[in-house]
């Protein structure tokens, strides 16, 4: 392919680019009053066709000559492969889904247990859990599934004498499994106990026995402006917020019901 230029300077620019691309010397020649460079198609040299009057009277006036319009293409920026963690000014990127499975199950025990405890179908739900546990015990299982449903009964009966027995049973199971689910649940149980005002002698809040899943925190901001926000006690005590949870985990905590879990082989039905 021939690339024609009106000026020698433009022809030299393409010749240099072509020589670098082919790793060979490239000649610049003159033809019919124009400079041209001959070679393969090169990125950055964009030929366009236009009418040109012939210099020789015997040649037809409709002859088409390729004239190159050369534009310098910028090389794409190379990606920065350096870790952003090493940069002081690197922005924080929130990664969802980095929550321990045992912590997630402990939070689900609290959410689901509170819902069942106040439901009109509480008795039927308790019977379903007991039937599931009996079936698991018959099979000789003492795994995370048994631990989960035992903790669920402890949460449903929370505030009664039955809860202590279920907690001890769950503690014994997790003492063998060492999953950490029992400890996570106990942190959630403690954090969701509603406290009264601070005791003037101990400096600590006194538990009222009431259960509080969320609390409102207020503070005095700049220029005397007050601001308030809601904290989920069950999440906060385990160092988790909703932005840490994947969308699947959020669906599991807020939408998965008891029937879904019992009918599934997994504690987290998909």
């Amino acid at each position: 392919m021939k690339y024609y230029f009106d000026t020698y300077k433009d022809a030299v620019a393409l010749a240099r680019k072509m020589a670098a691309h082919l790793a060979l010397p490239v000649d610049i020649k003159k033809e019919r009053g124009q400079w041209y460079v001959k070679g393969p198609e090169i990125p950055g040299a964009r030929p366009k066709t236009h009418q040109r009057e012939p210099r020789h009277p015997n040649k037809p006036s409709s002859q088409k000559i390729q004239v190159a319009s050369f534009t310098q293409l910028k090389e794409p920026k190379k990606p920065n492969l350096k870790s952003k963690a090493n940069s002081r000014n690197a922005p924080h990127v929130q990664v969802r889904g980095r929550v321990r499975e045992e912590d997630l199950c402990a939070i689900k025990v609290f959410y689901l247990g509170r819902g069942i405890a106040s439901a009109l179908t509480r008795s039927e739900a308790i019977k379903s859990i007991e039937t599931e546990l009996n079936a698991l015990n018959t099979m000789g299982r003492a795994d995370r599934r048994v631990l989960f449903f035992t903790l669920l009964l402890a949460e449903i009966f929370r505030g009664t004498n039955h809860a202590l027995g279920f907690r001890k049973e769950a503690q014994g199971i997790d003492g063998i499994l060492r999953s950490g689910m029992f400890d996570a649940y106990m942190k959630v149980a403690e954090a969701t106990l509603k406290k009264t005002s601070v005791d003037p002698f101990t400096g600590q809040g006194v538990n009222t026995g009431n259960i509080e899943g969320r609390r409102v925190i207020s503070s005095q901001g700049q220029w005397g402006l007050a601001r308030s926000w809601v904290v989920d006690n069950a999440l906060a005590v385990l160092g988790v917020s909703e932005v840490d949870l994947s969308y699947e985990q959020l669906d599991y905590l807020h939408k998965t019901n008891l029937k879904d879990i019992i009918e599934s082989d997994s504690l987290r039905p998909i």
Side-chain angles (χ1 to χ4, degrees):
M1 176 179 288
K2 288 184 180 181
Y3 296 93
Y4 288 88
F5 299 89
D6 292 325
T7 65
Y8 179 75
K9 181 179 179 181
D10 291 339
V12 170
L14 178 60
R16 287 177 177 175
K17 183 176 180 66
M18 192 177 294
H21 182 74
L22 300 175
L24 293 172
V26 177
D27 295 329
I28 302 175
K29 297 182 180 181
K30 195 170 184 180
E31 181 179 88
R32 294 190 296 274
Q34 283 191 307
W35 299 96
Y36 76 90
V37 179
K38 186 176 181 181
E41 185 174 354
I42 300 297
R46 301 171 183 173
K48 55 186 179 182
T49 304
H50 67 81
Q51 295 287 343
R52 187 176 181 85
E53 291 297 331
R55 293 180 179 272
H56 197 281
N58 295 329
K59 293 185 178 180
S61 59
S62 60
Q63 181 182 8
K64 295 182 180 180
I65 302 176
Q66 294 288 336
V67 178
S69 173
F70 178 76
T71 56
Q72 183 68 32
L73 296 180
K74 294 183 179 180
E75 294 185 2
K77 294 183 179 179
K78 296 181 180 179
N80 185 8
L81 301 180
K82 293 183 179 180
S83 174
K84 290 186 178 181
N86 296 330
S87 174
R88 293 182 180 180
N89 299 323
H92 174 68
V93 179
Q94 182 67 47
V95 180
R96 288 181 173 268
R98 291 190 175 183
V99 180
R100 287 197 330 140
E101 191 72 15
E102 290 71 20
D103 291 347
L104 195 68
C105 288
I107 297 168
K108 181 61 178 178
V109 165
F110 171 72
Y111 285 171
L112 186 58
R114 286 298 88 213
I116 294 174
S118 59
L120 296 176
T121 56
R122 168 184 165 129
S123 299
E124 290 80 357
I126 292 173
K127 288 180 181 179
S128 298
I129 297 170
E130 291 175 340
T131 300
E132 178 68 13
L133 282 173
N134 289 334
L136 295 171
N137 291 331
T138 301
M139 291 185 288
R141 291 178 58 173
D143 52 16
R144 292 172 65 253
R145 191 174 182 85
V146 177
L147 176 60
F148 178 89
F149 285 114
T150 304
L151 286 174
L152 186 56
L153 287 175
E155 181 60 32
I156 294 171
F157 287 102
R158 189 170 167 183
T160 70
N161 294 331
H162 297 290
L164 182 59
F166 289 123
R167 286 184 180 182
K168 287 184 176 179
E169 186 177 347
Q171 185 178 26
I173 296 171
D174 208 16
I176 299 173
L177 298 178
R178 300 184 181 278
S179 71
M181 190 190 303
F182 175 78
D183 291 338
Y185 167 74
M186 291 306 298
K187 288 180 181 179
V188 171
E190 175 65 24
T192 52
L193 277 176
K194 187 174 182 179
K195 297 177 176 60
T196 60
S197 58
V198 177
D199 188 297
F201 297 100
T202 63
Q204 297 180 347
V206 180
N207 292 334
T208 63
N210 297 326
I211 299 170
E212 183 181 49
R214 297 174 182 268
R215 70 183 188 276
V216 178
I217 297 179
S218 301
S219 68
Q220 196 75 14
Q222 193 176 14
W223 312 110
L225 298 176
R227 60 192 186 98
S228 302
W229 63 94
V230 178
V231 175
D232 188 307
N233 295 328
L235 295 176
V237 73
L238 298 178
V240 178
S241 66
E242 289 201 349
V243 296
D244 298 317
L245 302 171
S246 67
Y247 299 112
E248 291 78 9
Q249 290 172 335
L250 287 171
D251 285 345
Y252 169 66
L253 290 179
H254 297 294
K255 296 182 180 180
T256 302
N257 57 36
L258 177 63
K259 183 180 178 182
D260 294 332
I261 299 175
I262 289 179
E263 292 181 351
S264 173
D265 294 331
S266 172
L267 293 177
R268 286 184 56 192
I270 299 177

mmCIF file of all heavy atoms in Angstrom, residues 125-142:
data_model
loop_
_atom_site.group_PDB
_atom_site.id
_atom_site.type_symbol
_atom_site.label_atom_id
_atom_site.label_comp_id
_atom_site.label_asym_id
_atom_site.label_seq_id
_atom_site.Cartn_x
_atom_site.Cartn_y
_atom_site.Cartn_z
ATOM 1 N N ALA A 125 -43.818 -24.057 65.413
ATOM 2 C CA ALA A 125 -42.410 -23.918 65.049
ATOM 3 C C ALA A 125 -41.521 -24.707 66.013
ATOM 4 O O ALA A 125 -40.573 -25.382 65.595
ATOM 5 C CB ALA A 125 -42.010 -22.443 65.059
ATOM 6 N N ILE A 126 -41.824 -24.636 67.302
ATOM 7 C CA ILE A 126 -41.030 -25.372 68.298
ATOM 8 C C ILE A 126 -41.138 -26.879 68.055
ATOM 9 O O ILE A 126 -40.140 -27.615 68.130
ATOM 10 C CB ILE A 126 -41.494 -25.018 69.723
ATOM 11 C CG1 ILE A 126 -41.137 -23.556 70.041
ATOM 12 C CG2 ILE A 126 -40.858 -25.950 70.754
ATOM 13 C CD1 ILE A 126 -41.690 -23.065 71.359
ATOM 14 N N LYS A 127 -42.331 -27.354 67.726
ATOM 15 C CA LYS A 127 -42.512 -28.776 67.435
ATOM 16 C C LYS A 127 -41.701 -29.191 66.214
ATOM 17 O O LYS A 127 -41.108 -30.285 66.188
ATOM 18 C CB LYS A 127 -44.001 -29.074 67.201
ATOM 19 C CG LYS A 127 -44.844 -29.023 68.467
ATOM 20 C CD LYS A 127 -46.304 -29.340 68.152
ATOM 21 C CE LYS A 127 -47.158 -29.264 69.421
ATOM 22 N NZ LYS A 127 -48.595 -29.535 69.148
ATOM 23 N N SER A 128 -41.650 -28.346 65.207
ATOM 24 C CA SER A 128 -40.875 -28.657 64.001
ATOM 25 C C SER A 128 -39.383 -28.760 64.333
ATOM 26 O O SER A 128 -38.686 -29.652 63.824
ATOM 27 C CB SER A 128 -41.102 -27.580 62.933
ATOM 28 O OG SER A 128 -42.446 -27.533 62.533
ATOM 29 N N ILE A 129 -38.888 -27.856 65.173
ATOM 30 C CA ILE A 129 -37.472 -27.889 65.566
ATOM 31 C C ILE A 129 -37.168 -29.134 66.375
ATOM 32 O O ILE A 129 -36.148 -29.801 66.153
ATOM 33 C CB ILE A 129 -37.123 -26.619 66.376
ATOM 34 C CG1 ILE A 129 -37.299 -25.371 65.512
ATOM 35 C CG2 ILE A 129 -35.687 -26.694 66.890
ATOM 36 C CD1 ILE A 129 -37.205 -24.073 66.282
ATOM 37 N N GLU A 130 -38.041 -29.469 67.313
ATOM 38 C CA GLU A 130 -37.827 -30.666 68.144
ATOM 39 C C GLU A 130 -37.867 -31.934 67.302
ATOM 40 O O GLU A 130 -37.083 -32.867 67.526
ATOM 41 C CB GLU A 130 -38.888 -30.717 69.244
ATOM 42 C CG GLU A 130 -38.720 -29.633 70.299
ATOM 43 C CD GLU A 130 -39.851 -29.614 71.319
ATOM 44 O OE1 GLU A 130 -40.938 -30.173 70.998
ATOM 45 O OE2 GLU A 130 -39.673 -29.047 72.412
ATOM 46 N N THR A 131 -38.756 -31.973 66.320
ATOM 47 C CA THR A 131 -38.823 -33.144 65.423
ATOM 48 C C THR A 131 -37.536 -33.281 64.622
ATOM 49 O O THR A 131 -37.011 -34.388 64.446
ATOM 50 C CB THR A 131 -40.030 -32.992 64.467
ATOM 51 O OG1 THR A 131 -41.237 -32.902 65.219
ATOM 52 C CG2 THR A 131 -40.100 -34.172 63.520
ATOM 53 N N GLU A 132 -37.006 -32.145 64.139
ATOM 54 C CA GLU A 132 -35.756 -32.170 63.388
ATOM 55 C C GLU A 132 -34.606 -32.639 64.271
ATOM 56 O O GLU A 132 -33.774 -33.461 63.847
ATOM 57 C CB GLU A 132 -35.466 -30.774 62.826
ATOM 58 C CG GLU A 132 -34.162 -30.651 62.064
ATOM 59 C CD GLU A 132 -34.142 -31.413 60.760
ATOM 60 O OE1 GLU A 132 -35.222 -31.851 60.308
ATOM 61 O OE2 GLU A 132 -33.046 -31.560 60.173
ATOM 62 N N LEU A 133 -34.536 -32.151 65.498
ATOM 63 C CA LEU A 133 -33.466 -32.558 66.414
ATOM 64 C C LEU A 133 -33.568 -34.032 66.769
ATOM 65 O O LEU A 133 -32.546 -34.736 66.853
ATOM 66 C CB LEU A 133 -33.510 -31.707 67.686
ATOM 67 C CG LEU A 133 -32.922 -30.298 67.573
ATOM 68 C CD1 LEU A 133 -33.192 -29.498 68.841
ATOM 69 C CD2 LEU A 133 -31.420 -30.368 67.307
ATOM 70 N N ASN A 134 -34.766 -34.533 66.963
ATOM 71 C CA ASN A 134 -34.947 -35.962 67.263
ATOM 72 C C ASN A 134 -34.463 -36.825 66.096
ATOM 73 O O ASN A 134 -33.836 -37.875 66.301
ATOM 74 C CB ASN A 134 -36.417 -36.258 67.559
ATOM 75 C CG ASN A 134 -36.869 -35.682 68.895
ATOM 76 O OD1 ASN A 134 -36.046 -35.490 69.801
ATOM 77 N ND2 ASN A 134 -38.163 -35.413 69.032
ATOM 78 N N ALA A 135 -34.760 -36.376 64.879
ATOM 79 C CA ALA A 135 -34.314 -37.125 63.695
ATOM 80 C C ALA A 135 -32.795 -37.114 63.602
ATOM 81 O O ALA A 135 -32.170 -38.146 63.277
ATOM 82 C CB ALA A 135 -34.934 -36.524 62.440
ATOM 83 N N LEU A 136 -32.176 -35.996 63.902
ATOM 84 C CA LEU A 136 -30.712 -35.903 63.861
ATOM 85 C C LEU A 136 -30.074 -36.757 64.953
ATOM 86 O O LEU A 136 -29.044 -37.409 64.727
ATOM 87 C CB LEU A 136 -30.274 -34.437 64.005
ATOM 88 C CG LEU A 136 -30.677 -33.498 62.863
ATOM 89 C CD1 LEU A 136 -30.382 -32.046 63.229
ATOM 90 C CD2 LEU A 136 -29.933 -33.875 61.581
ATOM 91 N N ASN A 137 -30.672 -36.753 66.126
ATOM 92 C CA ASN A 137 -30.138 -37.567 67.230
ATOM 93 C C ASN A 137 -30.274 -39.053 66.931
ATOM 94 O O ASN A 137 -29.410 -39.862 67.298
ATOM 95 C CB ASN A 137 -30.868 -37.229 68.533
ATOM 96 C CG ASN A 137 -30.528 -35.830 69.033
ATOM 97 O OD1 ASN A 137 -29.433 -35.323 68.782
ATOM 98 N ND2 ASN A 137 -31.460 -35.196 69.729
ATOM 99 N N THR A 138 -31.358 -39.429 66.254
ATOM 100 C CA THR A 138 -31.549 -40.831 65.875
ATOM 101 C C THR A 138 -30.459 -41.291 64.924
ATOM 102 O O THR A 138 -29.996 -42.439 64.975
ATOM 103 C CB THR A 138 -32.931 -41.018 65.215
ATOM 104 O OG1 THR A 138 -33.952 -40.619 66.123
ATOM 105 C CG2 THR A 138 -33.146 -42.476 64.811
ATOM 106 N N MET A 139 -30.023 -40.393 64.075
ATOM 107 C CA MET A 139 -28.934 -40.706 63.141
ATOM 108 C C MET A 139 -27.571 -40.599 63.799
ATOM 109 O O MET A 139 -26.550 -40.858 63.163
ATOM 110 C CB MET A 139 -29.001 -39.756 61.935
ATOM 111 C CG MET A 139 -30.213 -39.991 61.036
ATOM 112 S SD MET A 139 -30.186 -38.931 59.540
ATOM 113 C CE MET A 139 -30.541 -37.327 60.252
ATOM 114 N N GLY A 140 -27.548 -40.203 65.053
ATOM 115 C CA GLY A 140 -26.274 -40.099 65.768
ATOM 116 C C GLY A 140 -25.457 -38.893 65.370
ATOM 117 O O GLY A 140 -24.235 -38.889 65.555
ATOM 118 N N ARG A 141 -26.109 -37.884 64.863
ATOM 119 C CA ARG A 141 -25.382 -36.695 64.424
ATOM 120 C C ARG A 141 -25.199 -35.708 65.574
ATOM 121 O O ARG A 141 -26.076 -35.539 66.423
ATOM 122 C CB ARG A 141 -26.127 -36.007 63.273
ATOM 123 C CG ARG A 141 -26.106 -36.813 61.993
ATOM 124 C CD ARG A 141 -26.891 -36.153 60.890
ATOM 125 N NE ARG A 141 -26.415 -34.815 60.567
ATOM 126 C CZ ARG A 141 -26.880 -34.105 59.528
ATOM 127 N NH1 ARG A 141 -27.802 -34.619 58.735
ATOM 128 N NH2 ARG A 141 -26.405 -32.897 59.290
ATOM 129 N N ALA A 142 -24.027 -35.097 65.598
ATOM 130 C CA ALA A 142 -23.732 -34.045 66.578
ATOM 131 C C ALA A 142 -22.889 -32.993 65.859
ATOM 132 O O ALA A 142 -21.733 -32.753 66.210
ATOM 133 C CB ALA A 142 -23.017 -34.616 67.789
#
